[in-house]
Amino acid sequence: INQSLSSLGDVFEALSSRSKHVPYRNSKLTYLLKPCLSAGGKALMFVHVNPDPASAYESLTSLRFAVKVAGCEVGPAARRINGHV
């Protein structure tokens, strides 16, 4: 799962920097999410933060990932009805 999340982070980084190449095929997760992460798609991400001090590192890592995702904009979402825009 860490490899898939790393690949997802690479996709968000490429999208936010407006790179010509977006590595959707680096993992099954990013390949499946391509329609949602491309122009006209919609995506929502929840981040779980644990208040336990023992989980501080994991929570900080999750928040850093969320900041990377929040900086990504692919354009306005399109309304699709039965697969048609």
Side-chain angles (χ1 to χ4, degrees):
I1 207 167
N2 287 338
Q3 178 62 35
S4 292
L5 288 177
S6 177
S7 295
L8 186 60
D10 293 342
V11 167
F12 282 121
E13 189 170 327
L15 289 171
S16 63
S17 67
R18 305 214 185 264
S19 175
K20 289 185 179 186
H21 172 71
V22 180
Y24 290 114
R25 292 187 172 199
N26 285 1
S27 76
K28 287 183 183 181
L29 176 67
T30 55
Y31 183 74
L32 291 172
L33 289 176
K34 182 180 178 181
C36 299
L37 301 176
S38 300
K42 295 180 184 179
L44 176 66
M45 185 176 120
F46 288 94
V47 177
H48 175 70
V49 178
N50 190 338
D52 183 23
S55 300
Y57 178 76
E58 296 259 348
S59 294
L60 186 59
T61 302
S62 297
L63 289 171
R64 285 182 181 146
F65 186 76
V67 167
K68 185 187 292 190
V69 171
C72 179
E73 188 173 317
V74 295
R79 183 175 179 194
R80 296 176 190 222
I81 300 174
N82 295 330
H84 301 290
V85 178

